[in-house]
Amino acid sequence: MKTAYDVIVVGARCAGSPTAMLLARKGHRVLVVDRATFPSDTVSTHVVHPLGAAALARWGLIDRLTATGCPPIHTYTFDFGPFTIAGSPGTSDAPVAYCARRTVLDKLLVDAAAEAGAEIREGFTVEEVLIEDGRVVGIKGRAKGGETVTERARLVIGADGRYSVVAEAVRAEQYNERPPLLAAYYTYWSGLPMDGRFETYIRSRRGFAAAPTHDGLTLTVGGWPHAEFEANKKDVEGNFLKMFDLAPEDLNLDLGALKLL
Ligand SMILES: Cc1cc2nc3c(=O)[nH]c(=O)nc-3n(C[C@H](O)[C@H](O)[C@H](O)COP(=O)(O)OP(=O)(O)OC[C@H]3O[C@@H](n4cnc5c(N)ncnc54)[C@H](O)[C@@H]3O)c2cc1C
């Protein structure tokens, strides 16, 4: 079968772009499509744990990330109330983690895939996965406002996240499924003295974490059991801020002195 591409990768964020980059570096003809354009954000805690940072180093990309001013994280703490576990998350080869804004990390990865020779089509939505004789042979999709186009490849890789059209088309097996357990919210703060720590606090029916990210900001994520989602939705900010009352006193968290962005 003669095709324009060896591989089509659907989804260009932290799974899709490195996959495309590594395949392109080996000389394969790769097309990457994503309905998003970059830089753009997506919801996640965005901690790249040390082994992820090691992968970036192996691919020659870690210096690009540190050049963006992303601070290294050398200590993780898990505060359970009665006791705290703290330590270094890394190994001697990969000592630190990074909490990189997805606007920065994903763009860096897309650019690296393009540099390796992959063709990147941003703002392109896959509407259908082409299947012939029981085998995936390509995709159908369109750029915003454009005509439907068909692209064919020997291999189509689904890196299109939750509700993946590729996984659905091939009826990928689902396992380890759980009902929603948690309702979590994200905020960015300035003025928190994180000093290279990723801190997690586990309390009764509440949990929150903080990690230093780009631009001198700290990402916090916190929430409550999904069973409280509807009731707490009426005042998300109030409930979120009340959660920080559960922070240990020696943290001296003066919310008034901090700035919620
Ligand atoms: C709340 C939360 C917190 C998390 N915290 C962490 C963390 O701290 N550390 C960590 O390592 N992981 C964390 N994760 C997991 C991590 O964020 C995900 O595993 C990771 O984002 C998955 O990356 P991905 O590239 O597979 O998919 P995604 O980041 O979901 O990207 C999928 C891409 O596919 C594109 N796409 C989807 N459908 C189509 C279509 N039909 N056509 C074209 N494009 C399409 C989307 O536009 C998107 O850009 C967290 C996840 C969540 C939800």
Side-chain angles (χ1 to χ4, degrees):
M1 184 174 63
K2 187 92 183 93
T3 58
Y5 303 102
D6 297 315
V7 182
I8 295 172
V9 182
V10 184
R13 293 193 185 271
C14 49
S17 280
T19 305
M21 175 191 74
L22 295 172
L23 288 166
R25 284 183 182 177
K26 285 196 177 297
H28 299 294
R29 299 163 303 165
V30 182
L31 170 66
V32 189
V33 297
D34 200 306
R35 65 177 167 219
T37 56
F38 298 92
S40 60
D41 218 343
T42 184
V43 173
S44 83
T45 311
H46 40 261
V47 174
V48 179
H49 298 284
L51 292 183
L56 289 171
R58 226 170 30 245
W59 303 334
L61 300 176
I62 196 72
D63 291 345
R64 292 189 196 182
L65 181 64
T66 55
T68 64
C70 194
I73 297 172
H74 50 70
T75 303
Y76 286 9
T77 69
F78 296 89
D79 179 328
F80 292 89
F83 64 92
T84 299
I85 299 172
S88 164
T91 62
S92 50
D93 292 340
V96 294
Y98 294 90
C99 178
R101 293 293 297 257
R102 297 293 296 268
T103 44
V104 176
L105 178 71
D106 294 352
K107 170 72 175 148
L108 187 154
L109 295 172
V110 169
D111 289 349
E115 268 171 44
E119 179 185 331
I120 314 281
R121 271 187 226 170
E122 300 181 25
F124 183 97
T125 301
V126 173
E127 294 170 331
E128 191 187 331
V129 174
L130 288 181
I131 298 180
E132 290 173 5
D133 299 327
R135 194 179 189 291
V136 172
V137 293
I139 56 166
K140 261 188 187 177
R142 68 173 81 209
K144 205 171 172 197
E147 301 273 293
T148 298
V149 295
T150 300
E151 299 293 358
R152 300 174 81 89
R154 286 163 50 211
L155 200 68
V156 173
I157 295 177
D160 47 345
R162 297 180 76 199
Y163 314 116
S164 156
V165 289
V166 178
E168 193 187 337
V170 300
R171 298 195 189 93
E173 184 196 349
Q174 301 194 15
Y175 50 90
N176 260 341
E177 287 181 274
R178 298 283 186 281
L181 295 172
L182 184 72
Y185 296 86
Y186 288 84
T187 52
Y188 293 93
W189 299 79
S190 63
L192 271 173
M194 294 305 294
D195 302 325
R197 291 186 318 274
F198 172 32
E199 301 179 359
T200 300
Y201 296 89
I202 298 102
R203 297 291 185 267
S204 175
R205 305 181 72 77
R206 294 292 180 273
F208 50 96
T213 185
H214 284 99
D215 305 317
L217 298 179
T218 296
L219 167 79
T220 69
V221 50
W224 32 81
H226 196 262
E228 293 182 39
F229 174 63
E230 283 301 330
N232 289 353
K233 215 164 62 170
K234 292 176 197 106
D235 180 14
V236 170
E237 191 171 326
N239 281 299
F240 193 87
L241 294 178
K242 213 171 357 163
M243 198 165 52
F244 293 133
D245 292 345
L246 300 168
E249 274 175 27
D250 62 1
L251 209 61
N252 288 327
L253 206 56
D254 175 6
L255 287 182
L258 301 173
K259 196 165 161 217
L260 174 59
L261 301 171

